[in-house]
Amino acid sequence: MTASAPVRPRNGLGLFWAVTFTTTWACWLAAIALGGSPTSFPTVIPFLLGGFGPVYGAIAVRLRRALRREPVPAHTVRLRSGRRLFWALPLLFLASATVVAAALLADLLGGPAVSLTEGRDLVATAGGPAPFLISMLIAGPLAEEPGWRGTAYPRLRASMNRPRAGLLLGAVWAVWHLPLFFITGTVQHDLGLISWSGLMFTLSVFPMALLTGYAYERAGVVAAMAVHFGVNTTIALLSVKSPVTQACIVAIQLIAAIALLACQRTRATAGVPAHAAHGRSVSA
């Protein structure tokens, strides 16, 4: 008789990837087929629905976990401590500061001058500061973070360390964005897939994945949303399009992510693991 290998419990990642990519790419391919701007009818409908693919994936995983009464992943961060949520605000400012610092550095290196002119026009087009900020919160942070960080990240952490989990998720995240390069009127389409700007956008996803992963382990999905919101909003207000500025953003965010992860590792070595301090969540 031969002993059979132990069966590893399913962690839901396969289901998450399948639902996320199927729903997002189906919607965005429909938007490509319809043509037109992503803000015009009827293209706007599949365009907006596609952005919530990670949320659909998260819902599918949670439903299956509830039906099977499976345990919550060990690296899930609970969302009920006001003290930890306090970290969302400084992390938001840090994320925004990396973009501002990169824009100033690019200016010193001969890149485009820092200007809010186009950003003010963008805010006016959106209908004012409040609609602009709400749209920036929904399109990206709210539509994606419950899935990428709140669902996929803790499951990846079950079998790998923080840098590997962050970088792997960053690679998946970069691939997920690809259809946007073919939808006329999106930021990605304006950058161009086969261009330095397009390459810099793709590379920028990796340090962003590390930063949002750090934020998630520090204070949960809200903190990850804060980092995502801070970066996206500042880039939009400064109208970042130059490859020089984008490269500076990648470099500065990578340095910030390495420093933060090093501090996190130091805390864990000292006997205070971040995930142990934060505990588990009943919603992951």
Side-chain angles (χ1 to χ4, degrees):
M1 295 180 63
T2 58
S4 58
V7 179
R8 294 182 60 185
R10 296 179 180 179
N11 60 12
L13 271 176
L15 177 62
F16 175 77
W17 303 137
V19 173
T20 297
F21 275 85
T22 299
T23 55
T24 293
W25 282 21
C27 288
W28 285 351
L29 288 174
I32 294 171
L34 289 171
S37 167
T39 59
S40 63
F41 183 83
T43 307
V44 64
I45 296 176
F47 174 74
L48 292 177
L49 290 176
F52 283 85
V55 170
Y56 308 145
I59 292 172
V61 170
R62 282 163 171 71
L63 287 175
R64 194 184 76 168
R65 182 179 63 78
L67 290 173
R68 295 183 175 183
R69 298 182 180 180
E70 295 171 342
V72 176
H75 293 273
T76 296
V77 180
R78 70 173 63 186
L79 180 63
R80 67 185 187 189
S81 171
R83 185 180 63 181
R84 284 200 301 277
L85 286 179
F86 166 79
W87 281 99
L89 189 59
L91 286 170
L92 184 153
F93 284 118
L94 173 64
S96 181
T98 62
V99 178
V100 174
L104 293 173
L105 177 60
D107 189 0
L108 291 174
L109 294 175
V114 179
S115 173
L116 288 171
T117 302
E118 292 186 34
R120 285 194 293 265
D121 293 340
L122 182 62
V123 172
T125 302
F132 170 74
L133 293 175
I134 291 173
S135 66
M136 294 303 298
L137 177 63
I138 294 174
L142 188 60
E144 298 179 33
E145 290 308 323
W148 298 132
R149 253 54 62 175
T151 304
Y153 183 81
R155 287 165 174 79
L156 289 172
R157 284 283 286 117
S159 59
M160 59 188 71
N161 59 27
R162 295 180 182 95
R164 286 184 61 193
L167 292 174
L168 177 56
L169 189 52
V172 175
W173 200 10
V175 173
W176 178 80
H177 281 94
L178 284 179
L180 293 177
F181 285 94
F182 302 96
I183 301 178
T184 304
T186 63
V187 172
Q188 291 80 7
H189 182 271
D190 293 341
L191 295 176
L193 178 60
I194 310 300
S195 68
W196 285 113
S197 293
L199 174 61
M200 287 299 106
F201 172 83
T202 301
L203 291 178
S204 71
V205 175
F206 290 90
M208 267 287 287
L210 293 174
L211 287 174
T212 47
Y214 170 85
Y216 174 77
E217 292 208 29
R218 203 77 172 93
V221 173
V222 172
M225 289 173 58
V227 169
H228 199 154
F229 175 80
V231 171
N232 283 7
T233 303
T234 310
I235 286 177
L237 289 174
L238 296 180
S239 302
V240 174
K241 299 174 183 177
S242 164
V244 175
T245 308
Q246 290 176 299
C248 290
I249 292 175
V250 171
I252 289 177
Q253 289 188 345
L254 186 58
I255 293 170
I258 291 173
L260 290 172
L261 289 172
C263 291
Q264 198 172 36
R265 183 177 180 181
T266 301
R267 289 182 69 248
T269 303
V272 191
H275 70 272
H278 298 324
R280 297 185 178 187
S281 167
V282 297
S283 63

